[in-house]
Amino acid sequence: MHYCPGCSHGVVHKLIAEVIAEMGMEEQTIGVSPVGCAVFAYNYIDIDWEEAAHGRAPALATAIKRLWPERLVFSYQGDGDIGAIGTAETVHALNRGEHITMIFVNNTVYGMTGGQMAPTTLIGQKTVTCPYGREEDIQGYPLRIPELACTLDGTRYVTRQSVHSVAAIRKCKAAIKKAFMNSMEGGGSNLIEILGTCSSGWKTTPEKANQWMEENMFKFYQVGDLKDR
């Protein structure tokens, strides 16, 4: 894989592939990958893929699902994509209740471009562009995309999971399967935020990255189902 050692993307890829296989949807699934670390997701999961412009994956996924409503359609996005340049597409697709699933991997940093501050960077977290730590009076507060999604009438299932342990991986897989099943049934849009690590962006080892996640990210982010209707 082209991912750095300790990166969570590989784990998430495996879970998605397993769920699609278990559903027997290998020939009926279309994934959308925009710009970011996971732009090459199509190299690892053998399904149909479309590559979107940066931040525009929800718009492209909307078009695909409306053209082929019998297909399982999902987007695979990072925090810079879904929470910065693509915020408008994300919010409006969710609010319209498009029958798609957005998988959002949040590692609180721009991993692909060198470890800059992201919209999800935590207060006090140091990055290349906030070397003294993020300050709320200068850079504002981190975005909680799932909590925002919960307020939208079009959302059906909103959850936040992680892949830092075996138990967490099992819960994350169950959440992905539930969202995919919902996408086939209709009734609203689905959003899964997956908390992940970025050893390179965080300038640490994979083991310490997992420890940092538990000590910091879990204090700020509520893990579990946030909306289910």
Side-chain angles (χ1 to χ4, degrees):
M1 290 186 136
H2 73 283
Y3 300 118
C4 304
C7 177
S8 298
H9 279 297
V11 179
V12 181
H13 284 6
K14 185 174 187 291
L15 297 182
I16 293 171
E18 287 178 353
V19 169
I20 293 171
E22 290 171 9
M23 292 175 65
M25 294 293 292
E26 298 97 318
E27 303 298 324
Q28 297 293 319
T29 300
I30 303 174
V32 182
S33 61
V35 179
C37 286
V39 66
F40 298 118
Y42 48 75
N43 286 331
Y44 309 118
I45 305 176
D46 189 13
I47 57 172
D48 288 330
W49 285 90
E50 291 281 352
E51 187 173 342
H54 202 358
R56 278 49 178 177
L60 181 54
T62 295
I64 294 169
K65 184 66 174 181
R66 291 192 181 193
L67 284 169
W68 291 289
E70 76 284 356
R71 301 295 176 94
L72 170 60
V73 181
F74 72 94
S75 65
Y76 190 96
Q77 302 173 256
D79 42 17
D81 187 86
I82 207 168
I85 193 170
T87 308
E89 284 77 5
T90 299
V91 170
H92 288 293
L94 290 170
N95 196 48
R96 289 194 305 268
E98 303 294 343
H99 302 158
I100 60 175
T101 292
M102 298 182 198
I103 295 177
F104 162 33
V105 181
N106 176 11
N107 53 28
T108 72
V109 73
Y110 287 158
M112 187 183 205
T113 54
Q116 298 90 343
M117 185 183 70
T120 53
T121 297
L122 303 180
I123 298 297
Q125 182 180 351
K126 297 179 180 180
T127 74
V128 173
T129 49
C130 56
Y132 301 106
R134 179 173 187 160
E135 300 179 47
E136 58 268 31
D137 58 338
I138 298 176
Q139 293 99 358
Y141 295 90
L143 277 179
R144 291 184 174 97
I145 298 295
E147 280 80 356
L148 174 61
C150 286
T151 68
L152 305 175
D153 293 334
T155 52
R156 174 176 178 179
Y157 180 53
V158 180
T159 187
R160 179 182 287 116
Q161 301 293 329
S162 69
V163 289
H164 73 292
S165 68
V166 174
I169 288 170
R170 289 177 179 149
K171 290 179 181 178
C172 187
K173 181 178 177 179
I176 293 171
K177 191 166 189 176
K178 183 172 186 175
F180 282 2
M181 294 292 289
N182 286 349
S183 293
M184 297 305 296
E185 295 171 3
S189 51
N190 304 272
L191 173 68
I192 304 175
E193 179 180 278
I194 302 174
L195 300 180
T197 57
C198 181
S199 304
S200 298
W202 295 355
K203 305 296 188 293
T204 187
T205 64
E207 181 182 10
K208 289 183 178 179
N210 269 346
Q211 294 174 355
W212 190 90
M213 175 189 287
E214 293 188 64
E215 294 171 359
N216 297 275
M217 295 176 76
F218 288 174
K219 291 180 180 178
F220 182 78
Y221 291 116
Q222 175 188 342
V223 177
D225 292 350
L226 302 179
K227 183 176 183 180
D228 187 4
R229 66 173 176 82

